[in-house]
Amino acid sequence: MAVHTLEQENRRLKWMMLAPALLFIGVMIVFPILYTGYLSLTDAFGAVNADSSFIGLLNFSDALGDLRRFWPAVWRTLVFTVAAVALELTLGLALAMLLRKPFRGMRWVRTIMMVPLLATPVAVGVLWLLILDPTTGIANYLLGLVGIPPQPFLGSVAQSLPTLILIDVWQWTPMMTLLLLAGLSTLPGEPIEAALVDGASAWQRFRHVTLPMLTTAIVTALVLRSVDALKTFDLIYATKGPGGGSSHEAETLNVYAYGLTFDYQEYGLAASVLVVFTVLIIFIVVALRRRSAKASS
Amino acid sequence: MTAMLPRSESGSIPATEAAAHLRRRKLLTGLRFAAIILVSAVFATPLIWMVLAAFKTNVQIGNPDDALIFSPTMQNFRNIMGEGIFLPAMVNSAVVGLVSTVLSAIIAVPAAWAIGRFGMHRAGNWVLIARIIPAISLLVPWYYLFARLELVGGYTVLVLSHMFVSVPLITWIMIGFFANLPTELEEAGRVDGLSAFGAFRRISLPLAAPGTATACVLALVFSWNNFIFALILSDESTKTLPVALFNFISYASVDWGGLMAASTLMSVPVILAAVFGQRYLVAGLTAGATKG
């Protein structure tokens, strides 16, 4: 009888404890989502409270038919995300294997790796602007020492996106490493020892024993990094300015939607782009999560 | 590992082979150590470059001959402090960060307890969804709503928008801490006459204090670094540090020295957090990641 009332009290309490957080997120999200959905169906433009009328799906057909800004932005978003996350995963995995066993000075190495990922993205952006400055930057000076001609880096249309990918890799590979190190630390030791006894080489042990056991941690790290990479804004804004540069060479979906909204005040069109963008992100997360559920079962 | 070390005294492995094995081992250890130093240098050098540039004149910054050897100047720091933008922005960042973190912890820690202790992951996913949605898709409606309420440009909207990042972050980190606490402790408290809430407050909450501290430090860092919300929702007087940083970039020229001094000062709290909370921050950042 006493157990029963304890259970009842718990049930009531757990919802009371969850309610404020759910309510806060709900209020902050539900109105915006409904309002963005509504805006995407109107021709809202100019001041936020200016008159607008319902135009159906016209914004969506405008956006999806826009081969000049919209599709290049989609393409850049995907290239940036896939390239950055793939590089971060490969390097992160290699670093995690390198740092797996304890060594002297481990604490310092870990601290050094923490700093890029905690550093303010805007500050990281301007720091790399300084390093990669086409004429006065130290990067071209160092390249010159090994006989490589000066590169324009962020100053050119062609190199902007690859350079941004490399900066993202510098800032976020440590995150991947730390996530994978945490994953490695939870693995049981026996399968690796068994493989060792069976005479498997280091590569075979990694490829056939460690890697399969690490799948769940890898997929989780991929989801976390992909979501953030898809939404990259600070770095691009800090280095390339509004619109992703004068020829929009670094304009991703996020930067495009920002420009439409706050520079051009095309609220209706921007809302339709954001609806597409949000659906894309949720689709990617769900697909990756389903993958990880399948892999771990 | 020790099982693999050759034992020459046992006679099963010839002594010369054992010596060769040891040499290979030593070489591998050396290579590993070199690789670790190289990696550390790659991650640390750009930041060291930033700090060095903060103490250089703009002429020295552009001159490779002055890369490492130069007479340091405090002029950049004096300039940014004298401009009357940097210090107020730092105060704004600190106020918004502290207030949003404390308020977030007050609602996120109990939520994480409910989710972790009772396995309410389905309800919990609604808190975490805030992590996935692009911030920009919320900014227009927020701007519209807060403009109507005449709140845009004030601290309230900045705190609310930063809380939107902190609440899911703190919840995400704390779920793991509460899920790992044994339920027996709370149950014992209940038997001794504590209410359900009393058991949470007197038993689980103190036990989760280290985790809460980690989560709050990370929330502070995220708030400190946040750019996009303040870019739109702040005005001249409530501007936070990342937005104020752009004052050093004009169309005509860039004040690299001022920019690097500002970036350095901005990074100091973050670097301190990394140095002193390294182990806990790693645990916090990776919380939930290994469990999926």
Side-chain angles (χ1 to χ4, degrees), chain A residues 6 9-10 14 17 28 32 35-36 95 98 101 107 114 117-118 120 127 130 141 170 179 220 228 231 234 254 258 261 289, chain B residues 32 39 42-43 46 61 64 114 131 136-137 140-142 144 190 196 200 225 227 231-232 270 278 281 285 289-290 292:
Chain A
L6 275 184
E9 204 192 331
N10 274 342
K14 69 184 183 186
M17 300 290 259
M28 294 291 276
Y35 189 67
T36 303
L95 290 185
L98 180 71
K101 277 181 273 170
R107 223 182 85 87
M114 288 292 289
L117 69 94
L118 293 180
T120 315
L127 164 63
L130 171 68
Y141 175 77
W170 175 81
L179 289 173
T220 310
D228 286 343
K231 297 192 294 186
D234 307 16
N254 218 8
Y258 178 89
T261 308
R289 284 244 149 185
Chain B
R32 179 163 175 260
V39 168
V42 167
F43 287 114
I61 287 174
R131 180 80 179 62
I136 292 173
S137 63
V140 184
W142 285 356
Y144 175 84
R190 299 292 299 275
F200 161 73
N225 288 348
F227 172 62
L231 183 65
I232 295 303
V270 167
Q278 179 257 118
L281 290 186
L285 274 174
T290 46

Short mmCIF file of all heavy atoms in Angstrom, two decimals, chain A residues 6 9-10 14 17 28 32 35-36 95 98 101 107 114 117-118 120 127 130 141 170 179 220 228 231 234 254 258 261 289, chain B residues 32 39 42-43 46 61 64 114 131 136-137 140-142 144 190 196 200 225 227 231-232 270 278 281 285 289-290 292:
data_model
loop_
_atom_site.label_atom_id
_atom_site.label_comp_id
_atom_site.label_asym_id
_atom_site.label_seq_id
_atom_site.Cartn_x
_atom_site.Cartn_y
_atom_site.Cartn_z
N LEU A 6 3.76 5.83 -2.95
CA LEU A 6 5.07 6.35 -3.36
C LEU A 6 5.11 6.47 -4.88
O LEU A 6 5.50 7.49 -5.43
CB LEU A 6 6.18 5.38 -2.93
CG LEU A 6 6.75 5.50 -1.52
CD1 LEU A 6 7.91 4.52 -1.35
CD2 LEU A 6 7.21 6.90 -1.24
N GLU A 9 2.98 9.32 -6.09
CA GLU A 9 3.58 10.62 -5.83
C GLU A 9 4.71 10.89 -6.83
O GLU A 9 4.84 11.99 -7.36
CB GLU A 9 4.13 10.67 -4.40
CG GLU A 9 4.23 12.09 -3.87
CD GLU A 9 5.03 12.18 -2.58
OE1 GLU A 9 5.03 11.18 -1.82
OE2 GLU A 9 5.65 13.22 -2.36
N ASN A 10 5.50 9.83 -7.12
CA ASN A 10 6.57 9.95 -8.11
C ASN A 10 6.02 10.36 -9.46
O ASN A 10 6.58 11.20 -10.14
CB ASN A 10 7.30 8.61 -8.27
CG ASN A 10 8.40 8.46 -7.24
OD1 ASN A 10 8.83 9.44 -6.64
ND2 ASN A 10 8.84 7.23 -7.04
N LYS A 14 7.22 13.69 -11.30
CA LYS A 14 8.11 13.69 -12.47
C LYS A 14 7.57 14.61 -13.57
O LYS A 14 8.33 15.30 -14.24
CB LYS A 14 8.37 12.28 -12.98
CG LYS A 14 7.20 11.57 -13.62
CD LYS A 14 7.59 10.15 -13.99
CE LYS A 14 6.44 9.46 -14.70
NZ LYS A 14 6.70 8.04 -14.97
N MET A 17 8.24 18.20 -12.56
CA MET A 17 9.64 18.58 -12.72
C MET A 17 9.98 18.84 -14.18
O MET A 17 10.84 19.67 -14.50
CB MET A 17 10.54 17.45 -12.19
CG MET A 17 10.32 17.14 -10.74
SD MET A 17 10.91 18.44 -9.68
CE MET A 17 12.46 17.72 -9.15
N MET A 28 8.85 28.78 -26.80
CA MET A 28 9.88 29.37 -27.66
C MET A 28 9.88 28.76 -29.06
O MET A 28 10.39 29.36 -30.00
CB MET A 28 11.27 29.21 -27.04
CG MET A 28 11.47 29.97 -25.75
SD MET A 28 11.51 31.77 -25.93
CE MET A 28 13.22 32.05 -26.37
N PRO A 32 7.08 30.16 -33.01
CA PRO A 32 7.94 30.38 -34.18
C PRO A 32 7.68 29.42 -35.33
O PRO A 32 7.66 29.82 -36.49
CB PRO A 32 9.35 30.21 -33.63
CG PRO A 32 9.23 30.61 -32.22
CD PRO A 32 7.88 30.12 -31.77
N TYR A 35 4.42 30.23 -36.93
CA TYR A 35 4.52 31.52 -37.60
C TYR A 35 5.38 31.43 -38.85
O TYR A 35 5.06 32.04 -39.88
CB TYR A 35 5.07 32.56 -36.63
CG TYR A 35 5.02 33.95 -37.16
CD1 TYR A 35 3.79 34.58 -37.36
CD2 TYR A 35 6.18 34.64 -37.50
CE1 TYR A 35 3.74 35.86 -37.88
CE2 TYR A 35 6.13 35.92 -38.00
CZ TYR A 35 4.90 36.53 -38.19
OH TYR A 35 4.86 37.79 -38.70
N THR A 36 6.48 30.66 -38.78
CA THR A 36 7.33 30.48 -39.96
C THR A 36 6.54 29.77 -41.06
O THR A 36 6.60 30.14 -42.23
CB THR A 36 8.59 29.66 -39.62
OG1 THR A 36 9.29 30.34 -38.57
CG2 THR A 36 9.51 29.52 -40.81
N LEU A 95 43.25 10.29 -34.29
CA LEU A 95 43.75 10.93 -33.06
C LEU A 95 43.28 10.17 -31.83
O LEU A 95 44.03 10.02 -30.86
CB LEU A 95 43.28 12.39 -32.99
CG LEU A 95 43.92 13.34 -33.98
CD1 LEU A 95 43.47 14.76 -33.73
CD2 LEU A 95 45.44 13.26 -33.87
N LEU A 98 45.44 7.34 -31.39
CA LEU A 98 46.78 7.80 -30.97
C LEU A 98 46.80 8.15 -29.48
O LEU A 98 47.77 7.87 -28.79
CB LEU A 98 47.16 9.03 -31.80
CG LEU A 98 48.51 9.68 -31.54
CD1 LEU A 98 49.63 8.78 -32.05
CD2 LEU A 98 48.60 11.04 -32.21
N LYS A 101 45.86 5.26 -25.30
CA LYS A 101 46.61 4.77 -24.14
C LYS A 101 47.16 5.94 -23.34
O LYS A 101 47.60 6.93 -23.92
CB LYS A 101 47.74 3.85 -24.60
CG LYS A 101 47.26 2.42 -24.85
CD LYS A 101 48.39 1.54 -25.28
CE LYS A 101 48.58 1.58 -26.79
NZ LYS A 101 49.80 0.93 -27.24
N ARG A 107 47.09 15.23 -19.93
CA ARG A 107 46.22 16.30 -19.47
C ARG A 107 46.40 17.56 -20.30
O ARG A 107 45.45 18.22 -20.68
CB ARG A 107 46.54 16.60 -18.00
CG ARG A 107 45.35 16.79 -17.12
CD ARG A 107 45.80 17.13 -15.72
NE ARG A 107 46.05 18.55 -15.58
CZ ARG A 107 45.11 19.44 -15.27
NH1 ARG A 107 43.89 19.05 -15.02
NH2 ARG A 107 45.38 20.72 -15.17
N MET A 114 40.90 21.04 -26.11
CA MET A 114 39.62 21.62 -25.67
C MET A 114 39.47 23.05 -26.16
O MET A 114 38.36 23.52 -26.40
CB MET A 114 39.54 21.68 -24.14
CG MET A 114 39.36 20.38 -23.40
SD MET A 114 37.77 19.66 -23.67
CE MET A 114 36.69 20.76 -22.76
N LEU A 117 37.66 24.05 -29.53
CA LEU A 117 36.23 23.79 -29.60
C LEU A 117 35.44 24.62 -28.60
O LEU A 117 34.22 24.75 -28.73
CB LEU A 117 35.92 22.29 -29.49
CG LEU A 117 36.13 21.51 -28.21
CD1 LEU A 117 34.83 21.47 -27.43
CD2 LEU A 117 36.54 20.09 -28.56
N LEU A 118 36.13 25.20 -27.61
CA LEU A 118 35.42 26.11 -26.71
C LEU A 118 35.57 27.56 -27.17
O LEU A 118 34.82 28.43 -26.73
CB LEU A 118 35.96 25.98 -25.28
CG LEU A 118 35.71 24.66 -24.56
CD1 LEU A 118 36.30 24.70 -23.16
CD2 LEU A 118 34.24 24.32 -24.48
N THR A 120 35.47 31.12 -29.06
CA THR A 120 34.36 31.80 -29.72
C THR A 120 34.49 31.69 -31.24
O THR A 120 35.52 32.13 -31.79
CB THR A 120 34.36 33.28 -29.32
OG1 THR A 120 34.55 33.35 -27.91
CG2 THR A 120 33.07 33.96 -29.69
N LEU A 127 40.66 35.26 -36.48
CA LEU A 127 42.04 34.78 -36.31
C LEU A 127 42.54 34.13 -37.61
O LEU A 127 43.66 34.40 -38.07
CB LEU A 127 42.11 33.77 -35.15
CG LEU A 127 43.36 32.90 -35.06
CD1 LEU A 127 44.58 33.77 -34.83
CD2 LEU A 127 43.21 31.88 -33.94
N LEU A 130 43.33 36.59 -40.30
CA LEU A 130 44.67 37.17 -40.14
C LEU A 130 45.74 36.21 -40.66
O LEU A 130 46.63 36.60 -41.42
CB LEU A 130 44.92 37.48 -38.66
CG LEU A 130 46.35 37.89 -38.29
CD1 LEU A 130 46.69 39.25 -38.87
CD2 LEU A 130 46.53 37.92 -36.78
N TYR A 141 53.48 33.07 -46.11
CA TYR A 141 54.91 33.18 -45.83
C TYR A 141 55.50 31.79 -45.63
O TYR A 141 56.54 31.45 -46.19
CB TYR A 141 55.12 34.05 -44.59
CG TYR A 141 56.55 34.14 -44.15
CD1 TYR A 141 57.46 34.96 -44.82
CD2 TYR A 141 57.00 33.40 -43.06
CE1 TYR A 141 58.78 35.02 -44.42
CE2 TYR A 141 58.32 33.46 -42.65
CZ TYR A 141 59.21 34.28 -43.33
OH TYR A 141 60.52 34.34 -42.94
N TRP A 170 39.86 22.22 -38.34
CA TRP A 170 40.77 22.60 -37.24
C TRP A 170 39.98 22.76 -35.94
O TRP A 170 40.37 22.28 -34.89
CB TRP A 170 41.50 23.90 -37.57
CG TRP A 170 42.35 24.39 -36.43
CD1 TRP A 170 43.60 23.96 -36.10
CD2 TRP A 170 41.99 25.36 -35.45
NE1 TRP A 170 44.04 24.60 -34.98
CE2 TRP A 170 43.09 25.47 -34.55
CE3 TRP A 170 40.86 26.15 -35.23
CZ2 TRP A 170 43.07 26.34 -33.46
CZ3 TRP A 170 40.86 27.02 -34.15
CH2 TRP A 170 41.94 27.11 -33.28
N LEU A 179 34.78 12.70 -28.40
CA LEU A 179 33.60 11.82 -28.41
C LEU A 179 34.03 10.37 -28.65
O LEU A 179 33.52 9.45 -28.02
CB LEU A 179 32.63 12.25 -29.51
CG LEU A 179 31.87 13.56 -29.27
CD1 LEU A 179 31.07 13.96 -30.51
CD2 LEU A 179 30.94 13.42 -28.08
N THR A 220 26.70 8.48 -33.33
CA THR A 220 26.27 9.59 -32.47
C THR A 220 27.11 10.83 -32.72
O THR A 220 26.58 11.94 -32.85
CB THR A 220 26.38 9.18 -31.00
OG1 THR A 220 25.73 7.92 -30.84
CG2 THR A 220 25.70 10.19 -30.10
N ASP A 228 25.47 20.43 -36.42
CA ASP A 228 26.12 21.73 -36.23
C ASP A 228 26.76 22.23 -37.53
O ASP A 228 26.72 23.42 -37.83
CB ASP A 228 27.17 21.65 -35.12
CG ASP A 228 26.51 21.58 -33.75
OD1 ASP A 228 25.32 21.92 -33.67
OD2 ASP A 228 27.18 21.18 -32.79
N LYS A 231 24.42 23.87 -39.87
CA LYS A 231 23.94 25.17 -39.42
C LYS A 231 25.05 26.22 -39.30
O LYS A 231 24.80 27.32 -38.82
CB LYS A 231 23.27 25.02 -38.04
CG LYS A 231 22.03 24.13 -38.07
CD LYS A 231 21.25 24.22 -36.78
CE LYS A 231 22.00 23.67 -35.60
NZ LYS A 231 21.16 23.63 -34.38
N ASP A 234 28.35 31.47 -37.81
CA ASP A 234 29.30 32.43 -37.24
C ASP A 234 30.59 32.51 -38.05
O ASP A 234 31.05 33.59 -38.38
CB ASP A 234 29.68 32.05 -35.79
CG ASP A 234 28.47 31.85 -34.91
OD1 ASP A 234 27.36 31.70 -35.47
OD2 ASP A 234 28.62 31.84 -33.68
N ASN A 254 21.95 28.35 -44.53
CA ASN A 254 21.78 29.15 -43.32
C ASN A 254 22.08 30.63 -43.59
O ASN A 254 21.32 31.51 -43.20
CB ASN A 254 22.74 28.61 -42.26
CG ASN A 254 22.14 28.62 -40.88
OD1 ASN A 254 20.96 28.88 -40.71
ND2 ASN A 254 22.95 28.35 -39.89
N TYR A 258 19.50 33.78 -43.72
CA TYR A 258 19.76 34.96 -42.90
C TYR A 258 19.73 36.23 -43.75
O TYR A 258 19.09 37.22 -43.39
CB TYR A 258 21.14 34.84 -42.21
CG TYR A 258 21.47 36.06 -41.40
CD1 TYR A 258 21.10 36.15 -40.07
CD2 TYR A 258 22.14 37.14 -41.98
CE1 TYR A 258 21.37 37.29 -39.33
CE2 TYR A 258 22.42 38.28 -41.25
CZ TYR A 258 22.03 38.35 -39.93
OH TYR A 258 22.29 39.48 -39.21
N THR A 261 16.28 37.20 -44.85
CA THR A 261 15.48 37.71 -43.75
C THR A 261 15.91 39.10 -43.32
O THR A 261 15.12 40.04 -43.32
CB THR A 261 15.59 36.78 -42.53
OG1 THR A 261 15.30 35.46 -42.95
CG2 THR A 261 14.61 37.18 -41.46
N ARG A 289 20.01 8.40 -37.27
CA ARG A 289 19.61 7.73 -36.04
C ARG A 289 19.10 6.32 -36.34
O ARG A 289 19.39 5.38 -35.62
CB ARG A 289 18.49 8.54 -35.35
CG ARG A 289 19.02 9.75 -34.67
CD ARG A 289 18.79 9.59 -33.21
NE ARG A 289 19.82 10.26 -32.48
CZ ARG A 289 19.94 10.21 -31.16
NH1 ARG A 289 19.07 9.51 -30.46
NH2 ARG A 289 20.90 10.83 -30.55
N ARG B 32 55.05 7.63 -31.71
CA ARG B 32 53.76 8.02 -31.14
C ARG B 32 53.90 9.36 -30.42
O ARG B 32 53.08 10.25 -30.59
CB ARG B 32 53.30 6.93 -30.16
CG ARG B 32 51.99 7.23 -29.49
CD ARG B 32 51.39 5.98 -28.87
NE ARG B 32 50.19 6.34 -28.14
CZ ARG B 32 50.14 6.48 -26.82
NH1 ARG B 32 51.22 6.28 -26.10
NH2 ARG B 32 49.02 6.81 -26.23
N VAL B 39 50.53 16.99 -33.35
CA VAL B 39 49.09 17.27 -33.28
C VAL B 39 48.82 18.44 -32.32
O VAL B 39 48.08 19.37 -32.65
CB VAL B 39 48.33 16.00 -32.82
CG1 VAL B 39 46.89 16.35 -32.46
CG2 VAL B 39 48.36 14.95 -33.91
N VAL B 42 49.68 21.66 -33.98
CA VAL B 42 48.71 22.08 -34.99
C VAL B 42 47.51 22.77 -34.34
O VAL B 42 47.02 23.78 -34.83
CB VAL B 42 48.24 20.86 -35.83
CG1 VAL B 42 47.01 21.23 -36.66
CG2 VAL B 42 49.37 20.38 -36.73
N PHE B 43 47.07 22.24 -33.20
CA PHE B 43 45.89 22.85 -32.56
C PHE B 43 46.25 24.11 -31.77
O PHE B 43 45.44 25.01 -31.64
CB PHE B 43 45.18 21.83 -31.66
CG PHE B 43 44.45 20.79 -32.45
CD1 PHE B 43 44.84 19.48 -32.42
CD2 PHE B 43 43.38 21.16 -33.26
CE1 PHE B 43 44.16 18.52 -33.17
CE2 PHE B 43 42.71 20.23 -34.02
CZ PHE B 43 43.11 18.90 -33.98
N PRO B 46 47.76 28.31 -33.96
CA PRO B 46 46.94 29.47 -34.33
C PRO B 46 46.56 30.33 -33.12
O PRO B 46 46.54 31.56 -33.21
CB PRO B 46 45.69 28.83 -34.96
CG PRO B 46 46.16 27.51 -35.46
CD PRO B 46 47.18 27.05 -34.47
N ILE B 61 52.56 43.00 -37.12
CA ILE B 61 51.69 41.87 -37.43
C ILE B 61 51.87 41.44 -38.89
O ILE B 61 51.87 40.25 -39.20
CB ILE B 61 50.21 42.22 -37.14
CG1 ILE B 61 49.98 42.27 -35.62
CG2 ILE B 61 49.26 41.21 -37.77
CD1 ILE B 61 48.62 42.75 -35.21
N PRO B 64 56.75 39.29 -41.42
CA PRO B 64 57.17 37.95 -40.95
C PRO B 64 58.47 38.00 -40.15
O PRO B 64 58.71 37.12 -39.32
CB PRO B 64 57.36 37.16 -42.25
CG PRO B 64 57.17 38.10 -43.37
CD PRO B 64 56.57 39.35 -42.86
N ALA B 114 13.83 14.08 -13.93
CA ALA B 114 12.63 13.33 -14.31
C ALA B 114 12.93 12.38 -15.47
O ALA B 114 12.54 11.22 -15.46
CB ALA B 114 11.50 14.30 -14.68
N ARG B 131 17.83 21.58 -29.93
CA ARG B 131 19.22 21.47 -30.34
C ARG B 131 19.33 21.34 -31.86
O ARG B 131 20.35 21.66 -32.45
CB ARG B 131 19.77 20.24 -29.62
CG ARG B 131 21.18 19.86 -29.83
CD ARG B 131 22.12 20.70 -29.01
NE ARG B 131 23.48 20.26 -29.25
CZ ARG B 131 24.06 20.29 -30.43
NH1 ARG B 131 23.41 20.78 -31.45
NH2 ARG B 131 25.28 19.84 -30.60
N ILE B 136 18.13 30.32 -36.94
CA ILE B 136 17.61 31.39 -37.78
C ILE B 136 16.12 31.24 -38.03
O ILE B 136 15.38 32.21 -38.11
CB ILE B 136 18.39 31.45 -39.11
CG1 ILE B 136 19.82 31.89 -38.82
CG2 ILE B 136 17.74 32.39 -40.09
CD1 ILE B 136 20.72 31.84 -40.00
N SER B 137 15.65 30.00 -38.08
CA SER B 137 14.23 29.80 -38.36
C SER B 137 13.38 30.27 -37.18
O SER B 137 12.17 30.45 -37.31
CB SER B 137 13.93 28.33 -38.69
OG SER B 137 14.24 27.52 -37.59
N VAL B 140 13.25 35.08 -36.77
CA VAL B 140 12.27 36.00 -37.36
C VAL B 140 11.01 36.09 -36.49
O VAL B 140 10.61 37.18 -36.07
CB VAL B 140 11.87 35.57 -38.79
CG1 VAL B 140 10.95 36.60 -39.41
CG2 VAL B 140 13.10 35.37 -39.63
N PRO B 141 10.40 34.93 -36.17
CA PRO B 141 9.21 34.99 -35.30
C PRO B 141 9.52 35.60 -33.94
O PRO B 141 8.72 36.38 -33.42
CB PRO B 141 8.79 33.54 -35.15
CG PRO B 141 9.46 32.82 -36.24
CD PRO B 141 10.67 33.57 -36.62
N TRP B 142 10.70 35.27 -33.37
CA TRP B 142 11.05 35.87 -32.08
C TRP B 142 11.14 37.38 -32.23
O TRP B 142 10.59 38.13 -31.43
CB TRP B 142 12.41 35.35 -31.59
CG TRP B 142 12.37 33.97 -31.05
CD1 TRP B 142 11.27 33.17 -30.87
CD2 TRP B 142 13.49 33.21 -30.61
NE1 TRP B 142 11.65 31.96 -30.38
CE2 TRP B 142 13.00 31.96 -30.20
CE3 TRP B 142 14.86 33.45 -30.53
CZ2 TRP B 142 13.83 30.95 -29.70
CZ3 TRP B 142 15.69 32.46 -30.04
CH2 TRP B 142 15.18 31.22 -29.63
N TYR B 144 9.76 39.28 -34.38
CA TYR B 144 8.42 39.81 -34.58
C TYR B 144 7.67 39.90 -33.25
O TYR B 144 7.14 40.95 -32.88
CB TYR B 144 7.68 38.89 -35.56
CG TYR B 144 6.25 39.24 -35.77
CD1 TYR B 144 5.88 40.22 -36.69
CD2 TYR B 144 5.24 38.59 -35.07
CE1 TYR B 144 4.56 40.55 -36.90
CE2 TYR B 144 3.91 38.91 -35.27
CZ TYR B 144 3.58 39.89 -36.19
OH TYR B 144 2.27 40.21 -36.38
N ARG B 190 13.03 8.16 1.24
CA ARG B 190 11.57 8.13 1.30
C ARG B 190 11.10 7.33 2.49
O ARG B 190 10.16 7.73 3.18
CB ARG B 190 11.00 7.51 0.01
CG ARG B 190 11.35 8.28 -1.25
CD ARG B 190 10.67 9.62 -1.29
NE ARG B 190 9.24 9.51 -1.28
CZ ARG B 190 8.49 9.31 -2.36
NH1 ARG B 190 9.08 9.23 -3.54
NH2 ARG B 190 7.20 9.20 -2.27
N ALA B 196 8.67 12.98 -2.02
CA ALA B 196 9.35 12.68 -3.28
C ALA B 196 10.24 13.85 -3.68
O ALA B 196 11.39 13.67 -4.08
CB ALA B 196 8.32 12.40 -4.38
N PHE B 200 14.47 14.26 -3.86
CA PHE B 200 15.21 14.84 -4.97
C PHE B 200 16.14 15.94 -4.46
O PHE B 200 17.32 15.98 -4.74
CB PHE B 200 14.24 15.41 -6.01
CG PHE B 200 14.87 16.41 -6.95
CD1 PHE B 200 15.74 16.00 -7.95
CD2 PHE B 200 14.60 17.78 -6.82
CE1 PHE B 200 16.33 16.92 -8.81
CE2 PHE B 200 15.20 18.70 -7.68
CZ PHE B 200 16.05 18.27 -8.67
N ASN B 225 29.95 32.55 -26.25
CA ASN B 225 30.34 32.43 -27.66
C ASN B 225 29.21 32.77 -28.62
O ASN B 225 29.45 32.98 -29.81
CB ASN B 225 30.80 31.01 -27.96
CG ASN B 225 32.14 30.70 -27.34
OD1 ASN B 225 32.83 31.60 -26.86
ND2 ASN B 225 32.51 29.43 -27.33
N PHE B 227 26.59 34.20 -31.06
CA PHE B 227 26.72 35.38 -31.91
C PHE B 227 25.39 35.79 -32.52
O PHE B 227 24.97 36.94 -32.42
CB PHE B 227 27.75 35.05 -32.99
CG PHE B 227 27.88 36.10 -34.06
CD1 PHE B 227 28.30 37.38 -33.75
CD2 PHE B 227 27.60 35.78 -35.39
CE1 PHE B 227 28.44 38.33 -34.75
CE2 PHE B 227 27.75 36.73 -36.37
CZ PHE B 227 28.16 38.01 -36.06
N LEU B 231 23.30 39.34 -32.41
CA LEU B 231 23.45 40.11 -33.65
C LEU B 231 22.11 40.76 -34.03
O LEU B 231 22.07 41.89 -34.50
CB LEU B 231 23.93 39.18 -34.77
CG LEU B 231 24.21 39.80 -36.14
CD1 LEU B 231 25.35 40.78 -36.06
CD2 LEU B 231 24.51 38.73 -37.17
N ILE B 232 21.02 40.03 -33.82
CA ILE B 232 19.70 40.52 -34.22
C ILE B 232 18.94 41.15 -33.05
O ILE B 232 18.25 42.16 -33.21
CB ILE B 232 18.87 39.35 -34.80
CG1 ILE B 232 19.50 38.85 -36.09
CG2 ILE B 232 17.42 39.77 -35.05
CD1 ILE B 232 19.68 39.91 -37.15
N VAL B 270 37.44 31.24 -21.48
CA VAL B 270 37.27 29.93 -22.09
C VAL B 270 38.50 29.05 -21.85
O VAL B 270 38.39 27.86 -21.53
CB VAL B 270 37.02 30.12 -23.61
CG1 VAL B 270 37.16 28.82 -24.34
CG2 VAL B 270 35.66 30.75 -23.84
N GLN B 278 39.10 20.70 -17.37
CA GLN B 278 39.31 19.83 -18.53
C GLN B 278 38.61 18.48 -18.41
O GLN B 278 37.80 18.11 -19.26
CB GLN B 278 40.82 19.68 -18.75
CG GLN B 278 41.21 18.80 -19.89
CD GLN B 278 41.68 17.46 -19.41
OE1 GLN B 278 41.08 16.45 -19.73
NE2 GLN B 278 42.72 17.45 -18.60
N LEU B 281 34.80 18.87 -18.16
CA LEU B 281 34.19 19.39 -19.39
C LEU B 281 34.13 18.32 -20.46
O LEU B 281 33.16 18.22 -21.20
CB LEU B 281 34.95 20.62 -19.90
CG LEU B 281 34.82 21.87 -19.04
CD1 LEU B 281 35.49 23.04 -19.71
CD2 LEU B 281 33.36 22.19 -18.78
N LEU B 285 30.81 17.30 -22.21
CA LEU B 285 30.62 17.39 -23.66
C LEU B 285 30.26 16.05 -24.26
O LEU B 285 29.55 15.97 -25.24
CB LEU B 285 31.91 17.90 -24.33
CG LEU B 285 32.08 19.41 -24.40
CD1 LEU B 285 33.45 19.74 -24.96
CD2 LEU B 285 31.01 20.03 -25.28
N ALA B 289 26.65 11.02 -25.43
CA ALA B 289 27.12 10.68 -26.77
C ALA B 289 27.40 9.19 -26.90
O ALA B 289 27.09 8.57 -27.91
CB ALA B 289 28.38 11.47 -27.09
N THR B 290 27.97 8.60 -25.85
CA THR B 290 28.30 7.19 -25.95
C THR B 290 27.06 6.31 -25.78
O THR B 290 27.02 5.19 -26.22
CB THR B 290 29.33 6.78 -24.89
OG1 THR B 290 28.92 7.34 -23.65
CG2 THR B 290 30.71 7.28 -25.26
N GLY B 292 24.16 7.30 -26.95
CA GLY B 292 23.28 7.59 -28.09
C GLY B 292 22.00 8.21 -27.62
O GLY B 292 21.01 8.20 -28.31
#
